[in-house]
Structures are given as structure tokens and as C-alpha cells.
Amino acid sequence: MTSKVSDQQCTIAQSVAHRLLAIQAVELRPDAPFTWASGWLSPIYCDNRKTLSYPEHRSYIKQAFALQVSDRYPDAEVVAGVATGAISWGALVADELGLPFVYVRSSAKDHGKQNLIEGYLPEGARVVVIEDLISTGGSSMKAVEALQAAGAQVEGLMAVYTHGFAEAEDLFAKAGVEMRTLTDYNEVIRQAVSAGYVSEHDLEMLAQWRENPSQWGR
């Protein structure tokens, strides 16, 4: 049973990476780096919201999420999306699973009820958090903490993709929150080399960026 699940997850990781690259939801530019909002230079840029415009890929990712949530968190009672990028993913997954949906804002509204969590969240509900991208993990952990402060039991967090930074992995490990993704940086790079988006010559540089992203290219 364990090996069957592992094989299934491996297939999902490969397929999601291939799909993200095919529609340039993940784009690699080793020779012309992107500049992130943080000011970091990066040979890779991820915009998973682009997949929402492609019904075939959107449906596959939705079903992959639902399959893994059902497998890993069978007692989940609520699905929570992280604003703004994962609101759509969370709602799609909740609908697929027939579960209630809420979403967590990056900050509380400055008017009305000043909600941080939108939707009805029962006290003590078992929640799975859906995210689109994990980079340093800070915004994702803020959403987890907001849900916990509201009395929810966070079963785990699942994202479409992670860069695999040690900082994010340490953050979730210290908080005792399981973080899983459909695919990751290593799989994207393997698929990118296989499809010819980048060459094997670029691999060392891509590995160096992931090791020290804040200083890379400076």
C-alpha cells in the first residue's frame, strides 16, 4: 500500500511540473533573471494562477489536491484557502470534496466586521490549508496561525509548488505543521531539462540559487 501511494505521488509530481512548465506558469530564465518583490534575483518565476485559465490543467490539479487531501487528511472538515493566490484552488478543492470553504486574508479588513477569516469556521474544526506557492513560508504560516487562533485544528497545509527553501521547511517543522506539495523545485528542474527548457549546463547555477537565493546574482 505504501509503495502504491508513493508511485502515485511521484506521477502527480511529474505531471504537475510538466503542466506548469508547458503553460509557463513556471518559467525559467537562467540568462535573464527575474526580480522578485523582495528584491531577490531569481532564474525562476512561478505564477500558478495562470493554470486557472487552462481547464484541463486546472481540473487535473484540483483532482490531484482532492486525492491527496482525502488520502492524507481523511478527517478534514473544512478547506481553507490562503489569499489571494489560493482562494480559487481552495474553493475548487472544497467543492470537489464536498466540504465547507473559508479563506484567510493577509490582514484583517479595515471596515465592517474586520474579518481575517472569511466564511463560517466552526470552533475546533479540522482544517486543511491550501496554498498555491511556498517560498519562504512566512505568509502561509501566518494563515495557519490565524486559523489556530480562531480555534481550528490545522491538519496540514498543501500547496501546488514549493521552491524547497530550507527556511520554509524549518518554519513548518518547528511549528509542528505538516507541509506537502503536489510538485517541487527539483521535479520542475528535472522536467525542464528533459523537455529542453534549460540545459544540463545550467544545473549547477540553478542549484546555487536555491542554496542562497537572497545573495544569488549579486
Side-chain angles (χ1 to χ4, degrees), residues 94-127:
D95 189 61
E96 183 75 6
L97 294 171
L99 291 175
F101 171 71
V102 301
Y103 72 86
V104 187
R105 292 175 171 272
S106 57
S107 59
K109 290 169 66 174
D110 60 3
H111 60 280
K113 294 184 177 181
Q114 300 182 327
N115 292 339
L116 182 57
I117 299 171
E118 298 287 3
Y120 173 61
L121 180 65
E123 180 76 23
R126 296 179 181 273
V127 178

Side-chain angles (χ1 to χ4, degrees), residues 198-215:
V198 294
S199 69
E200 292 191 8
H201 176 74
D202 296 317
L203 290 178
E204 183 177 352
M205 178 271 292
L206 290 166
Q208 289 172 350
W209 170 77
R210 218 262 299 268
E211 287 299 315
N212 192 6
S214 64
Q215 297 303 312

Side-chain angles (χ1 to χ4, degrees), residues 55-191:
E56 177 189 343
H57 302 317
R58 182 181 69 216
S59 180
Y60 181 88
I61 291 172
K62 174 190 70 174
Q63 291 169 5
F65 263 135
L67 181 68
Q68 295 206 16
V69 169
S70 295
D71 180 60
R72 296 291 305 183
Y73 313 111
D75 297 326
E77 298 170 309
V78 176
V79 174
V82 180
T84 58
I87 292 176
S88 296
W89 288 122
L92 286 166
V93 173
D95 189 61
E96 183 75 6
L97 294 171
L99 291 175
F101 171 71
V102 301
Y103 72 86
V104 187
R105 292 175 171 272
S106 57
S107 59
K109 290 169 66 174
D110 60 3
H111 60 280
K113 294 184 177 181
Q114 300 182 327
N115 292 339
L116 182 57
I117 299 171
E118 298 287 3
Y120 173 61
L121 180 65
E123 180 76 23
R126 296 179 181 273
V127 178
V128 172
V129 183
I130 299 294
E131 181 64 285
D132 67 333
L133 165 69
I134 303 292
S135 53
T136 60
S139 59
S140 304
M141 185 53 67
K142 278 182 63 178
V144 168
E145 290 171 346
L147 289 162
Q148 291 173 330
Q153 299 181 53
V154 176
E155 300 284 283
L157 179 143
M158 295 197 66
V160 178
Y161 168 85
T162 178
H163 290 303
F165 295 149
E167 178 181 351
E169 294 174 358
D170 290 346
L171 184 65
F172 280 91
K174 287 176 181 177
V177 176
E178 184 175 55
M179 185 266 285
R180 302 177 66 82
T181 61
L182 298 182
T183 197
D184 58 26
Y185 183 79
N186 290 335
E187 190 58 56
V188 163
I189 299 305
R190 279 193 288 269
Q191 293 295 319

